[in-house]
Each structure stands twice: as structure tokens, then as C-alpha cells.
Amino acid sequence: MTASTLVLSPAARPPALPRLSVLVRHAVPRVLEGMILPVAIFYVGFLVAGERGGVGMAVAWVYGGAVLRLVRRQPVPGTVLLAMLAVTVRAVLTLVTGDLLIFFLQPTLGVYAASLAFLGTAAAPRPLIQRVTTDLVPLPEHLTHHPRMRRFFVHLSLLWGTVQFANGSLSLWLLLSESIETYLIVRTAAVAVLMVLAALASLLAFRRVLRLLHR
């Protein structure tokens, strides 16, 4: 059987996305924890105690999240451990050099790396965006091999690769040309809007391709 002749098994339970309200409730705490609150906490520390205060508050936020999980007897995800390592290195380099630019440059370079990863794997047998999607919504293997779904993952890779490139470019431009205050406020707001729009476009496209496959 070739990929073009793959069909959905009638006996198989069709994969479906959760309700939009469920996705929003799932996403909002993560957006707050990962995007909004870190910036707000850094800014408060920056206003109160300058650059060192902002860096210290940012480090405390990351480590505090890990400690809170341990207190609640929850496992500390690998991503949190990596975040702890990254923020520690960034903080040390910033304090040693006295250049706050270094503290924000590494995440921006990471965004560019994500963009290259999405774009570079778009035509791969299993694009990176497919791994991300199937982590959120488990899909049977025969469905991910369907030509429609494979085209969807290619288009999604191009979308998120472009979005992340725009994110990195905006962040780098603001970082090099504007004050830290402007960078924090404008970058956070712009990236939040950009990510929400890209996520909504991805969600609508995913729903559409699933409906087409279920016909």
C-alpha cells in the first residue's frame, strides 16, 4: 500500500483536537510562566536594584519554579533543568562582563536556531514540527504518513520557521537599537501577538486537515 492510498481505519478512533477553551486554559498558564512573568519580574528587579537586581530576580524565578516543584513532590522537567543551566551561564557572563546585552542575546540566538530547525527539517521524513504536534495530539502512524498530513507538516514547518525568524529579527533589532525598557515591553507584546496568531492559524489548519481526512 502506498502513501497515496492510505485511508483511515473505520475502527480506529479518529484523532481530534481538544476544545478551544481547553487549549486556552492549558496555554495561558504556560504563556504567563514562560513569557509574561519572567519579563515582569526582571523589570521589577531592574527598577528596584538596577541590572544586577533584574538578573538576580530572573535567576530566582527559574530556580524558584524548580524548588516549588520539588516542594510539591513533582518531577522537575528536563526543560526546566536546561533553563536553570542556561540562566546561570547567562547571569555569570553578564555579571563578569558587566554587559546586560549578553543576558538577552543568548535567547535570541536560540530563537534563530529554532527557526533553522523548523525550516531545515520541513522536507524531512519526520519534521521537527511533527514531533511537537504529536506530543500535543497523539496521531496514529498511518495518519501521519498520509500525503495530506505530510503536506500539512511541511506548511506548518515553513510557518513556524518564518515566525521564529521574525521573532529573532525583531528581538535582535530592539536589543541593539533600543533601551532595555523598550526592548522588554515592545518585544514581549509583539512576540505574544505573533505567537498567538501563529498558534491560531496552526490550530485552524490542523482542524481543517483532520476534517478532510475524516471524509
Side-chain angles (χ1 to χ4, degrees):
M1 181 181 293
T2 63
S4 59
T5 60
L6 284 172
V7 294
L8 294 177
S9 171
R13 185 178 181 180
L17 288 174
R19 292 179 180 273
L20 183 58
S21 59
V22 175
L23 291 174
V24 170
R25 286 197 300 270
H26 179 79
V28 166
R30 285 156 180 78
V31 172
L32 287 173
E33 181 181 5
M35 292 182 62
I36 307 299
L37 288 179
V39 174
I41 289 170
F42 175 91
Y43 193 53
V44 169
F46 180 76
L47 291 177
V48 173
E51 294 181 0
R52 290 177 179 268
V55 172
M57 290 288 283
V59 173
W61 170 257
V62 176
Y63 276 81
V67 170
L68 183 60
R69 286 179 169 87
L70 292 175
V71 170
R72 293 177 174 176
R73 297 184 178 180
Q74 297 174 345
V76 179
T79 52
V80 174
L81 295 176
L82 289 175
M84 292 169 62
L85 175 62
V87 78
T88 301
V89 172
R90 290 162 56 198
V92 170
L93 290 176
T94 300
L95 295 176
V96 168
T97 62
D99 189 353
L100 191 59
L101 179 70
I102 293 176
F103 190 76
F104 294 103
L105 185 59
Q106 184 270 335
T108 301
L109 297 178
V111 170
Y112 277 120
S115 172
L116 290 175
F118 285 133
L119 295 174
T121 62
R126 193 182 181 200
L128 175 61
I129 198 70
Q130 179 180 334
R131 298 172 184 266
V132 175
T133 303
T134 52
D135 284 344
L136 298 173
V137 182
L139 297 172
E141 186 174 350
H142 72 275
L143 184 60
T144 59
H145 289 168
H146 193 282
R148 283 186 186 274
M149 188 61 74
R150 291 181 65 84
R151 286 195 298 271
F152 165 75
F153 285 128
V154 170
H155 296 158
L156 204 62
S157 296
L158 297 177
L159 169 65
W160 281 99
T162 303
V163 166
Q164 292 291 60
F165 184 83
N167 176 3
S169 299
L170 174 64
S171 300
L172 187 61
W173 175 71
L174 288 171
L175 187 60
L176 297 178
S177 63
E178 302 294 336
S179 66
I180 290 298
E181 293 90 338
T182 301
Y183 167 82
L184 292 173
I185 296 172
V186 176
R187 190 256 180 190
T188 301
V191 170
V193 171
L194 186 64
M195 292 298 177
V196 167
L197 292 177
L200 286 176
S202 302
L203 176 63
L204 293 175
F206 197 20
R207 286 187 181 278
R208 180 176 179 274
V209 74
L210 287 179
R211 283 199 301 268
L212 291 174
L213 290 173
H214 291 160
R215 286 180 179 177

